[in-house]
Amino acid sequence: MSIEIRNISKTFESFQALQGVSLEVKSGELMALLGPSGSGKTTLLRIIAGLEFPDPGSGEVVFHGEDVTGQGAQQRQVGFVFQHYALFRHLTVFENIAFGLRVRPRNRRPTEAKIIEKVTELLRLIQLEGLAGRYPSQLSGGQRQRVALARSLAVEPRVLLLDEPFGALDAKVRKELRRWLRRLHDEIHVTSLFVTHDQDEALEVADRVVVMNHGRIEQVGTPKEVYDQPANPFVYDFLGNVNLFRGRLNSGRVQIGSANFQAPDHPETLDAPALAFVRPHDIKLSRQASSEASMSATIVQLSALGPYVRVELRQEDGELLEVQLTQEEERQFLPRPGETVFVELRNLRVFASDYSI
Amino acid sequence: MIFRLKQRSVLPGFKLTLGYSLLYLSLVVLIPLSAVFLKSATNGWQHFWEAATAPRVLASYKLTFGMSLLAALVNSAFGLVVAWVLVRYHFPGKRIVDALVDLPFALPTAVAGISLAAVYSSHGWIGQILERVGIKVAFTPLGVWVALTFIGLPFVVRTVQPVIEDLNTDLEEAAASLGASRWQILWRVIFPILRPALQTGFALAFARALGEYGSVVFISGNMPMRTEISSLLIITKLEQYDYAGATAIAVVMLLVSFALLFLINWNQARSHRFL
């Protein structure tokens, strides 16, 4: 079941949450809506679910060729998973999962035997077979979210929508659960869209990622595409740590301070301000100046972050620079605070700076 | 180790507060109530039984418990609606309406009784309209019910209101996305969550109505066998210096009220398992 969103806008009083957003989710795809808070990702998800409605006359929501814009959540047959689970606390795990089947009109309601069969199957899927009789208050956060997922799957939804599904869980459970969601999706292949503000989560789990900001879509692509070929400075900045340099772009080369780099994406730009980005793990330190490593900087601080060592340096112009070394690189180079070294920037990405972040 | 070390906690004074609570309850509740039992026994079992089961007294029990129950039931339904409207909707004058709900708490019951009697009597504003369609309120059991409903309303509203405020709209949205109709959401999701609070409100309104005196006696007319409530009979007996007789009725009221409240609370504890 594919989802197509055409030119949707949404205004809350004076705040415009979505500005003419169009998006296509392919059938059977697991897609992430990624963005900072206030970027409109949750609003978009709720509009797809039918819990919120776009501004009158602004566009359509289409499920597999069928225009569902006017339908409410009751008719759309979507599974929706909430950040805070929204389980019915007066019902057992079993009854929570069975809820969607029991509220069907009499002529479409499955028999009790069918309901038991379906719920048992789902309990097996979420690996909570033994807990059918528990109440939500007797479950851990991760278990509750799995029950919420099973509940939404029980009605065999056309699409599955998840609003920050792991947001309320602690870091370890979060990781486990998102991997589990990925495996589950590989098994059941229901078209799914999930909202997150955690770029690791989006990059790890999704087939494709939609990066949103200020009610607009900045880029749509596979995790590799958005990470390696960000469409603009915002996407680059949002996906992981970056070092920002300001310079001037001229005929395919960019001048940053005293150093000069190739900028093959911009052969025609003549003498324009530019922004250049480098990821912390794309910077190499050396003690000798060379044609590649012509910028010097002073080491300010070292901090160990598990498998990595973060090195903070101060450039000649006073700007801070962040470099990430593996433990092995650190052992070989032995950086010392106070030392002045040369840095080599690799995989520099240059944007003409008419775009601000 | 034979002696367990005293459990240390952040807030000291468990023994002190427990002792104080017991003393306070004894002085204010238990001792006066046991005095009722003792007093009712002064003239022997025979007299107690006669006083407590005279036809006029039995009729008053029926009226008091029946109308209290009815008033509490109606209050539960309408109190729920009022609480819902006050939480979920925004309308001009909402804060005034919200404050008005507490009025039956604050008003001296005699004032309530007099105004109700004035409004619902056959010359009153509402009374004369109802009279035209053949409904008499003042000086009938219906009047008793009106008074008991009036004084019980805030109990239901104030116990249910905070629960509705805490009610997450996520739940309604989740139910809707699962295909539940509005009616099903109300009945299968919202009502079960509100039920414990509603039961508490019902129990409070009911208990309050059982003991009510001031607001009822003006509108009921106090006709023996028809519109005489038990509290009034107790006062009547006291005025005739029949202390044993008065306390006999009181003991019956006390036991039945206690049994009913116990039943409601027990039922509620059962339905609270999921919290």
Side-chain angles (χ1 to χ4, degrees):
Chain A
M1 186 71 58
S2 64
I3 309 171
E4 207 182 320
I5 292 141
R6 295 186 196 136
N7 194 31
I8 291 280
S9 294
K10 175 72 184 174
T11 316
F12 293 108
E13 287 172 22
S14 61
F15 173 68
Q16 190 157 21
L18 292 174
Q19 314 186 20
V21 168
S22 299
L23 178 67
E24 202 182 334
V25 189
K26 294 180 201 139
S27 189
E29 190 174 32
L30 177 55
M31 197 179 225
L33 287 176
L34 176 67
S37 49
S39 60
K41 55 196 192 306
T42 294
T43 306
L44 181 58
L45 195 77
R46 289 171 60 84
I47 286 176
I48 298 172
L51 296 171
E52 211 87 69
F53 294 91
D55 290 344
S58 83
E60 295 105 61
V61 178
V62 178
F63 285 180
H64 209 74
E66 180 197 351
D67 186 347
V68 297
T69 319
Q71 290 181 2
Q74 272 108 339
Q75 288 93 48
R76 285 200 195 177
Q77 270 183 281
V78 295
F80 200 94
V81 175
F82 294 83
Q83 181 178 4
H84 297 286
Y85 330 124
L87 292 177
F88 306 127
R89 62 178 189 209
H90 61 287
L91 298 177
T92 59
V93 167
F94 184 97
E95 287 302 323
N96 261 287
I97 299 174
F99 185 90
L101 301 173
R102 293 206 193 280
V103 296
R104 282 192 185 164
R106 204 172 293 274
N107 53 359
R108 292 198 297 117
R109 196 182 305 158
T111 59
E112 189 62 29
K114 276 263 159 52
I115 292 178
I116 292 175
E117 191 190 313
K118 181 86 195 170
V119 175
T120 312
E121 182 197 319
L122 283 161
L123 281 168
R124 196 164 40 238
L125 192 69
I126 60 168
Q127 299 151 11
L128 292 177
E129 290 107 319
L131 305 183
R134 296 265 186 102
Y135 285 94
S137 58
Q138 298 165 309
L139 303 179
S140 71
Q143 290 172 332
R144 286 183 208 183
Q145 198 55 294
R146 279 187 278 164
V147 173
L149 193 63
R151 180 180 68 178
S152 63
L153 290 174
V155 295
E156 285 162 13
R158 301 199 278 181
V159 297
L160 183 61
L161 306 170
L162 306 102
D163 184 10
E164 306 238 6
F166 316 121
L169 303 168
D170 63 67
K172 193 165 154 36
V173 178
R174 218 177 150 116
K175 268 194 186 150
E176 276 168 26
L177 210 55
R178 74 193 191 206
R179 283 175 195 158
W180 175 80
L181 177 72
R182 180 66 243 187
R183 287 198 303 274
L184 183 78
H185 185 266
D186 292 341
E187 250 175 77
I188 59 176
H189 288 300
V190 56
T191 308
S192 309
L193 196 56
F194 75 99
V195 158
T196 180
H197 59 257
D198 179 343
Q199 64 272 20
D200 290 344
E201 198 167 288
L203 297 180
E204 181 178 338
V205 175
D207 295 322
R208 283 200 301 157
V209 178
V210 180
V211 184
M212 293 188 68
N213 187 31
H214 293 314
R216 290 179 202 278
I217 291 177
E218 299 281 358
Q219 189 176 6
V220 182
T222 63
K224 198 166 162 49
E225 279 164 10
V226 293
Y227 191 82
D228 292 342
Q229 287 133 40
N232 57 47
F234 173 80
V235 177
Y236 198 102
D237 187 38
F238 193 71
L239 295 172
N241 293 331
V242 289
N243 291 297
L244 167 69
F245 301 92
R246 287 172 200 284
R248 285 203 86 77
L249 198 55
N250 198 0
S251 329
R253 294 196 70 83
V254 63
Q255 183 78 30
I256 299 166
S258 56
N260 194 284
F261 301 89
Q262 288 201 339
D265 295 347
H266 304 275
E268 273 122 47
T269 315
L270 292 173
D271 197 31
L275 294 174
F277 293 89
V278 182
R279 300 260 182 229
H281 54 79
D282 282 335
I283 298 179
K284 198 174 165 228
L285 302 182
S286 70
R287 292 209 162 82
Q288 272 104 43
S290 64
S291 57
E292 291 86 26
S294 56
M295 293 169 74
S296 71
T298 311
I299 297 176
V300 179
Q301 201 183 355
L302 300 173
S303 23
L305 302 171
Y308 300 106
V309 177
R310 190 175 66 199
V311 185
E312 215 173 88
L313 304 105
R314 189 176 297 283
Q315 292 169 246
E316 289 160 3
D317 59 2
E319 291 282 322
L320 285 174
L321 191 64
E322 189 185 319
V323 177
Q324 185 177 299
L325 300 179
T326 62
Q327 284 193 347
E328 200 182 321
E329 286 167 339
E330 195 258 351
R331 269 196 301 275
Q332 281 170 9
F333 190 80
L334 291 174
R336 290 284 164 264
E339 186 182 3
T340 298
V341 295
F342 294 93
V343 293
E344 179 187 337
L345 309 181
R346 292 175 294 188
N347 296 327
L348 191 75
R349 272 202 79 88
V350 181
F351 298 95
S353 82
D354 51 338
Y355 196 104
S356 64
I357 51 169
Chain B
M1 209 173 356
I2 299 167
F3 298 106
R4 278 185 56 191
L5 284 171
K6 199 176 122 192
Q7 292 267 331
R8 289 185 65 105
S9 91
V10 182
L11 280 177
F14 169 71
K15 283 181 185 164
L16 187 71
T17 47
L18 179 71
Y20 176 76
S21 306
L22 288 179
L23 178 73
Y24 185 83
L25 271 178
S26 304
L27 284 175
V28 176
V29 181
L30 289 177
I31 296 175
L33 286 187
S34 27
V36 171
F37 282 85
L38 289 176
K39 192 78 194 174
S40 71
T42 45
N43 279 1
W45 178 248
Q46 182 71 29
H47 184 263
F48 173 87
W49 188 251
E50 274 168 18
T53 60
R56 191 172 156 191
V57 179
L58 286 180
S60 82
Y61 294 149
K62 219 176 112 190
L63 181 74
T64 310
F65 284 103
M67 285 304 146
S68 298
L69 197 68
L70 212 60
L73 280 174
V74 170
N75 271 333
S76 302
F78 287 99
L80 177 62
V81 175
V82 171
W84 185 266
V85 168
L86 284 177
V87 175
R88 283 294 172 95
Y89 301 106
H90 296 277
F91 52 90
K94 173 171 156 170
R95 297 175 75 124
I96 295 172
V97 175
D98 200 29
L100 276 178
V101 169
D102 282 331
L103 218 53
F105 271 154
L107 214 59
T109 50
V111 176
I114 292 167
S115 25
L116 284 175
V119 171
Y120 282 98
S121 76
S122 43
H123 302 295
W125 294 336
I126 304 179
Q128 53 180 313
I129 301 170
L130 290 175
E131 195 112 310
R132 254 176 255 154
V133 289
I135 300 170
K136 259 180 78 75
V137 179
F139 316 126
T140 66
L142 194 61
V144 177
W145 172 79
V146 167
L148 295 181
T149 307
F150 174 80
I151 49 119
L153 180 71
F155 290 95
V156 177
V157 177
R158 292 296 179 234
T159 45
V160 176
Q161 205 173 3
V163 184
I164 299 178
E165 274 164 7
D166 284 348
L167 206 63
N168 213 323
T169 49
D170 277 7
L171 291 175
E172 293 155 50
E173 291 177 351
S177 75
L178 291 166
S181 66
R182 279 160 206 236
W183 181 248
Q184 282 172 323
I185 294 173
L186 204 65
W187 191 246
R188 285 174 174 260
V189 178
I190 295 173
F191 187 71
I193 294 169
L194 297 184
R195 204 178 61 181
L198 205 57
Q199 276 177 355
T200 305
F202 171 82
L204 288 172
F206 178 62
R208 176 77 175 82
L210 285 179
E212 180 55 17
Y213 173 76
S215 62
V216 178
V217 291
F218 295 99
I219 198 173
S220 72
N222 309 323
M223 285 169 279
M225 306 298 293
R226 276 200 63 223
T227 61
E228 204 173 37
I229 56 168
S230 302
S231 313
L232 181 83
L233 269 181
I234 294 172
I235 300 277
T236 314
K237 290 213 185 280
L238 286 178
E239 280 168 350
Q240 295 159 356
Y241 304 106
D242 180 6
Y243 294 126
T247 48
I249 303 174
V251 164
V252 173
M253 294 280 291
L254 202 66
L255 290 178
V256 176
S257 312
F258 183 74
L260 286 174
L261 290 175
F262 186 79
L263 213 68
I264 293 169
N265 282 336
W266 173 75
N267 180 35
Q268 178 156 347
R270 242 174 24 123
S271 66
H272 251 80
R273 275 171 311 163
F274 56 80
L275 291 180

